[in-house]
Amino acid sequence: MNTRELAIQCFKDEAAAVLGLTEKLDEGFEQAVELMYSCKGKVIVTGVGKSGHIGAKIAATLSSTGTPSFFINPLDVFHGDLGVMTSDDVVLAISNSGQTDELLRFIPMVLHMQIPIIGMSGNPESLLAKYSTCFLNVGVEKEACPLNLAPTSSTMAQMAMGDALAVALIEKRHFQPRDFAQFHPGGELGKRLLTTAQDVMFKEDLPVLPPEMHLGEAIILVSKGKLGLGIAEVNDQIVGLITDGDIRRAMEKWQAEFFDRTVSDIMTRTPKTVKADTKITEIQKIMNQYKVHSVLVIDDDNHLLGVVDHYSCMI
């Protein structure tokens, strides 16, 4: 095989390993999800070697989706790290063989503290499986490694099972995008989900017009405003909105009579409005639903605070 063929075979072997987990999924998975969901402390993930690396990733995924979790190396337990564990915790122990010596020496300490153990292994007859409160079978027929030695398919199966636990807990906790954003405030998703109208709105030199203003004058103010719109107000109350499109259509319709018409003749009397704390993602939904390019930001008394347009939302 050439290198590309080897890569394709690797993908197939690992995909088969993950799909093979569907036949091994039993009530142990449901028990594991319930243990994690009802856990009053932390989910402590542990494992050695490659399983340890997968465990660290699983712990990170759980923590970022609403299940407090962290990874601990069982070797460090013998040097003081046992102090972080309490009887309110749950342990997720990962070992492909289920017979890893360092992990098995850690298990009696966990049992002594009466902490539930979720065992994840490719060997349902292992000591890890025997002493686990519930067991997740992640056994694979063969590794993707041509020598059938390096952990490849087996670690992929472990990671997939960890993701399945996280997905089930997301649903069970009714975890929402806004919750995800709180755990990822520095990322692009977090930025979009946490940004509000007041963060991006235009609020200086807004093109405010009286409804009785003739359209010839209104064109000048709308152009100066550079937002492609004008806001009609009476006594500091918003009564309508005109856009560049409204003006163009009015010119085509009335032609020579256009300059005799007023803002009130063409304005939309129920423009779309939002509050200052409305999230950008919600504003985008409003724009898409009503096919508008801008919304007005108002306070509780219908006073104009600013304008958010389509480009403001492209953060």
Side-chain angles (χ1 to χ4, degrees), residues 99-113:
Q99 301 286 123
T100 306
D101 181 63
E102 298 90 342
L103 191 64
L104 293 180
R105 285 191 286 138
F106 170 48
I107 296 300
M109 305 178 193
V110 180
L111 294 175
H112 177 72
M113 297 178 68

Side-chain angles (χ1 to χ4, degrees), residues 54-96:
I54 298 301
K57 186 274 179 187
I58 293 173
T61 300
L62 290 171
S63 290
S64 68
T65 52
T67 301
S69 176
F70 67 89
F71 175 79
I72 185 171
N73 190 315
L75 297 174
D76 294 331
V77 170
F78 303 105
H79 301 282
D81 282 8
L82 189 64
V84 304
M85 298 174 58
T86 73
S87 57
D88 290 329
D89 297 335
V90 170
V91 167
L92 171 60
I94 307 172
S95 168
N96 185 41

Side-chain angles (χ1 to χ4, degrees), residues 2 20 30 35 46 105 120 125 133 155 161 169 199 205 217 291 295 303 314-315:
N2 60 35
E30 296 171 358
L35 278 174
T46 186
R105 285 191 286 138
M120 183 189 296
E125 304 300 323
T133 309
T155 49
M161 185 63 77
L169 286 164
D199 296 323
D205 300 322
E217 298 176 79
K291 304 293 188 274
V295 296
H303 294 149
M314 298 173 65
I315 58 174

